Amino acid sequence: MISNFFNQYNHYSNNVHQQSKETTINNNLNHEEVTTEPNNKQQSSSSTPEQVVTTINNNNNENNTLNIPKKPLKSSIDFSQADLYFKPYSNWQLLKSYTMLTSCRFPVIRKYGPEIFEKGGAVVRELAKYTYFPYFCGGEELKDTEKVIKKLKKYNLKTILDYSVEGPVVLSESNEVTQLDETTEDAIAKVTLDSIYFMGEQNRIDNSFNCPFGVVKVTGIANCSLLERLSKILCFIQMHPETDHAKKLLQDNNIYHFGKENENLLDLMKEYTIKNYPRTNAFSFVKNGGEMDLPKPLTEIEIGKLERVMKRLEKLCIACKETGLSLLVDAEQTYYQPAIDHLYMMLSLKYNTKEMLVSRTMPIVYNTYQMYLKDALYRLQYDYHFLSNYSLSHGVKLVRGAYMKSETARCTENNLPYPFQQTLLETHVNYVKGVEFCFDKLYSNQNVGMIICSHNQDTLGMASRLMVEKYGFDKQDPRVIFAQLYGMGDNLSLALSFHGYNVGKYVPFGKVIDVMPYLSRRLIENGDMISGSSSETKKMMSELQRRISIKTKQLYNSAKEMTMKK
């Protein structure tokens, strides 16, 4: 299976430029060439912000293919050795895992489960509390997660606690953000902050780095309507930078919040906003009559809310700096993501500097890139070059993506182009290109931290081999971490850990009533990932059968010996 994927990958990479624009989404993007040898050329310190996009385009136009070594890349990890990787698991753990994952693939559960979880009431929540919730979540309170942290540590797995609670989406009739109570956003930010200090304390007690990341879901600590409004403004500026309205929006300075002591960063953010590589169009700026739909500037209320969002994020960054952790900023839907990228870049300009990273090997703040999006690789490249141009570090979290169904429904309703890669293979190719881009920059400039979040065996096999065999990184290099969701992909996590790589498990926690909506959406959006767990459950069943067979033989031999003695 692995070699077949690599063959398809090589074939696709070498022929993508021959496919028509109508049938190949990737032709809308020019991929940056990554050579078969690590790039050890340092980026010129004399490059200007205006040259960032030009640099990317020049590199991309040289070759639209990703060349991989002539020697076939096969995974150096044999993921099929279930008896080796599941050795720490008891028979009961294996049986429980097999039962939970298998039940998630039942058509009835996949079709009706999410709605039942969200609307089933107290009885359903109580049932979930003793079944799915403890399997996929770390607990309702922070103190409950301590058991999970210790359990994962026994398997040599790191813990990434994720307070998976989202703030409410409240829309006004005018589609403008109104003055609403921010108690929920403040409460979510407080628990997220507590989780960072909690993980830092766990590291201190164990004298380890077993909890490397804090996680923030921006839709939890910010009004979703505000994020959408800001995203629309940013997209308009990026798509129509020469219009008077875009210039006015940019000069208002109400979309940047650094504090007076950091006013010098305003020009950098304006440069980033204007020169940002064109992203997927998540908004329509043309009315039915053909008239331009100009986004309104942020209101005073919205400006105040945005400033408070930035303050919440800064508190989290400061906590990460104090505890030695890093902050992962989760990705969201395309109509929120421009605002989130904007907030990430403001944080990076303050916290991913050389002065802030003294005595640290990892960036303080990481952005997330959903590689199933057409523009993901280009945003990744642009963000890196922009930060590197000012001698800043770039934190990168690579994921496949988790909002396909909701994004598809919105695009259909609003007659917008679909933002995704056309095929699953194209997503895999885009993901691996992102991985190799980060490895290449880490090798040449030493200014990237990356977390590879994937449940795809072939992708993990290729990434692990690239890391060690092509680029020569140590398997325990703290700047590179693999990760899977808690309760999923355990065979992959255990295999990578067994072979010496840094591996973490994303562990959601929170009250059942608050977390179940999030988990139900993950069940909807990641149905194919759950379904893909059939490979994992097969390995689990194979290991259970092997153990039963051994036990049966032992019992038979014991009975035979007793009979012979008689």
Side-chain angles (χ1 to χ4, degrees):
M1 174 185 282
I2 292 175
S3 60
N4 182 52
F5 166 70
F6 292 136
N7 289 336
Q8 287 180 301
Y9 168 69
N10 198 20
H11 173 76
Y12 172 77
S13 297
N14 290 331
N15 291 282
V16 65
H17 63 287
Q18 298 176 359
Q19 301 179 33
S20 66
K21 291 183 179 179
E22 290 77 13
T23 60
T24 305
I25 290 174
N26 272 347
N27 276 343
N28 293 326
L29 303 172
N30 297 316
H31 293 300
E32 175 172 349
E33 178 186 12
V34 181
T35 60
T36 58
E37 293 298 326
N39 175 18
N40 56 12
K41 295 180 180 179
Q42 297 289 332
Q43 183 169 333
S44 174
S45 59
S46 61
S47 59
T48 63
E50 291 80 0
Q51 292 175 310
V52 173
V53 174
T54 304
T55 300
I56 296 175
N57 286 335
N58 289 340
N59 289 335
N60 290 342
N61 291 331
E62 290 178 6
N63 194 334
N64 198 34
T65 66
L66 176 67
N67 298 316
I68 59 176
K70 294 181 180 179
K71 180 181 178 182
L73 270 175
K74 297 181 181 179
S75 174
S76 57
I77 299 177
D78 183 0
F79 288 97
S80 66
Q81 295 179 296
D83 58 327
L84 204 58
Y85 307 138
F86 284 124
K87 188 176 181 180
Y89 278 27
S90 66
N91 295 337
W92 167 245
Q93 284 177 296
L94 276 176
L95 183 60
K96 181 181 178 181
S97 298
Y98 176 83
T99 303
M100 288 295 170
L101 292 176
T102 301
S103 67
C104 287
R105 298 203 308 274
F106 291 162
V108 174
I109 296 293
R110 290 184 61 185
K111 185 175 182 179
Y112 300 108
E115 185 175 358
I116 292 174
F117 282 159
E118 288 199 62
K119 302 178 181 179
V123 175
V124 173
R125 289 197 297 271
E126 196 67 17
L127 179 63
K129 183 176 181 178
Y130 296 100
T131 54
Y132 291 102
F133 180 79
Y135 183 76
F136 292 110
C137 299
E140 293 193 270
E141 305 290 344
L142 261 177
K143 60 183 180 181
D144 300 332
T145 64
E146 189 172 352
K147 294 180 181 178
V148 176
I149 293 174
K150 291 180 178 179
K151 182 181 76 172
L152 292 176
K153 185 181 179 182
K154 288 197 307 182
Y155 306 142
N156 200 28
L157 299 175
K158 301 180 185 299
T159 301
I160 304 170
L161 293 182
D162 179 12
Y163 186 50
S164 302
V165 178
E166 301 173 10
V169 180
V170 182
L171 299 174
S172 63
E173 293 183 1
S174 63
N175 202 33
E176 290 186 359
V177 181
T178 56
Q179 183 66 61
L180 297 170
D181 184 20
E182 297 183 24
T183 303
T184 301
E185 289 91 335
D186 287 334
I188 293 174
K190 176 65 166 58
V191 177
T192 304
L193 185 68
D194 290 343
S195 71
I196 292 173
Y197 283 116
F198 177 81
M199 287 186 283
E201 181 64 14
Q202 294 298 310
N203 290 340
R204 188 192 66 79
I205 293 173
D206 295 338
N207 192 26
S208 67
F209 196 54
N210 202 49
C211 300
F213 296 105
V215 181
V216 60
K217 194 169 182 64
V218 179
T219 51
I221 65 169
N223 183 287
C224 292
S225 297
L226 171 63
L227 294 176
E228 188 169 355
R229 285 265 292 121
L230 179 57
S231 293
K232 189 171 184 177
I233 290 173
L234 292 169
C235 284
F236 183 85
I237 293 173
Q238 292 161 12
M239 294 176 67
H240 307 283
E242 300 304 320
T243 63
D244 291 338
H245 189 66
K247 293 176 181 178
K248 182 178 182 302
L249 290 172
L250 195 64
Q251 291 303 321
D252 282 345
N253 292 339
N254 59 15
I255 57 176
Y256 308 108
H257 296 279
F258 291 106
K260 293 183 179 180
E261 70 277 9
N262 296 108
E263 288 183 351
N264 59 309
L265 299 180
L266 277 173
D267 290 338
L268 297 186
M269 276 305 301
K270 288 182 179 180
E271 191 69 41
Y272 175 77
T273 303
I274 296 175
K275 300 295 182 180
N276 201 347
Y277 206 90
R279 65 172 66 245
T280 297
N281 183 16
F283 302 95
S284 175
F285 295 107
V286 180
K287 298 180 180 179
N288 291 334
E291 183 183 353
M292 183 73 79
D293 182 16
L294 302 178
K296 297 179 181 178
L298 294 181
T299 65
E300 289 300 320
I301 291 176
E302 291 171 327
I303 294 171
K305 284 181 174 290
L306 182 60
E307 185 174 0
R308 288 190 289 276
V309 170
M310 191 65 183
K311 287 181 179 178
R312 293 183 191 115
L313 289 169
E314 290 206 54
K315 284 184 179 180
L316 300 179
C317 288
I318 292 171
C320 284
K321 184 179 185 302
E322 292 174 352
T323 58
L325 275 69
S326 297
L327 182 67
L328 300 177
V329 180
D330 268 355
E332 306 282 356
Q333 292 90 336
T334 54
Y335 43 94
Y336 298 146
Q337 195 59 46
I340 294 170
D341 288 346
H342 180 78
L343 293 169
Y344 161 75
M345 189 55 65
M346 285 196 286
L347 293 172
S348 288
L349 291 177
K350 288 188 68 172
Y351 295 100
N352 281 346
T353 65
K354 287 184 177 179
E355 293 75 19
M356 283 286 185
L357 302 183
V358 173
S359 73
R360 288 179 61 107
T361 57
M362 301 160 61
I364 289 178
V365 59
Y366 284 59
N367 200 16
T368 301
Y369 298 88
Q370 300 183 95
M371 303 309 289
Y372 74 162
L373 296 175
K374 299 177 191 178
D375 65 355
L377 185 61
Y378 294 91
R379 288 170 34 233
L380 167 62
Q381 292 175 359
Y382 183 89
D383 288 353
Y384 169 78
H385 286 297
F386 185 86
L387 289 168
S388 184
N389 186 60
Y390 292 100
S391 301
L392 302 172
S393 293
H394 187 26
V396 178
K397 174 187 168 189
L398 296 175
V399 300
R400 190 201 64 168
Y403 300 100
M404 182 168 286
K405 290 192 177 181
S406 58
E407 292 273 21
T408 299
R410 181 178 182 272
C411 289
T412 302
E413 180 182 351
N414 295 282
N415 195 29
L416 293 169
Y418 295 116
F420 321 109
Q421 302 288 350
Q422 185 169 329
T423 66
L424 183 60
L425 177 60
E426 288 174 301
T427 296
H428 290 330
V429 170
N430 207 40
Y431 191 101
V432 174
K433 287 183 177 182
V435 170
E436 190 156 11
F437 173 82
C438 291
F439 276 141
D440 200 64
K441 300 310 177 185
L442 180 58
Y443 179 89
S444 59
N445 296 327
Q446 306 289 314
N447 60 349
V448 176
M450 58 190 296
I451 175 169
I452 304 171
C453 301
S454 175
H455 291 80
N456 184 278
Q457 178 176 303
D458 299 329
T459 299
L460 294 171
M462 175 179 266
S464 61
R465 184 165 185 182
L466 283 172
M467 177 182 177
V468 175
E469 297 188 20
K470 177 176 178 178
Y471 291 95
F473 293 117
D474 188 278
K475 292 179 180 180
Q476 286 291 304
D477 192 319
R479 297 170 298 180
V480 182
I481 296 179
F482 296 84
Q484 290 78 42
L485 292 172
Y486 182 63
M488 299 184 193
D490 288 357
N491 61 318
L492 304 174
S493 304
L494 292 169
L496 287 164
S497 176
F498 180 86
H499 287 277
Y501 294 91
N502 288 318
V503 186
K505 299 293 279 188
Y506 243 76
V507 182
F509 75 96
K511 296 291 185 182
V512 176
I513 189 173
D514 295 325
V515 173
M516 291 315 295
Y518 167 79
L519 290 179
S520 66
R521 277 190 289 277
R522 292 306 296 260
L523 183 61
I524 294 173
E525 302 291 356
N526 293 293
D528 53 345
M529 183 179 73
I530 295 290
S531 179
S533 66
S534 59
S535 173
E536 181 178 4
T537 53
K538 285 178 181 178
K539 290 182 175 68
M540 289 178 175
M541 178 52 67
S542 174
E543 174 61 10
L544 282 170
Q545 290 173 341
R546 186 189 71 84
R547 294 183 183 185
I548 292 172
S549 175
I550 292 175
K551 190 65 175 179
T552 301
K553 288 180 180 179
Q554 290 175 346
L555 291 174
Y556 173 78
N557 291 334
S558 296
K560 187 176 180 181
E561 289 178 6
M562 291 177 64
T563 303
M564 291 179 65
K565 287 180 180 179
K566 291 181 180 179

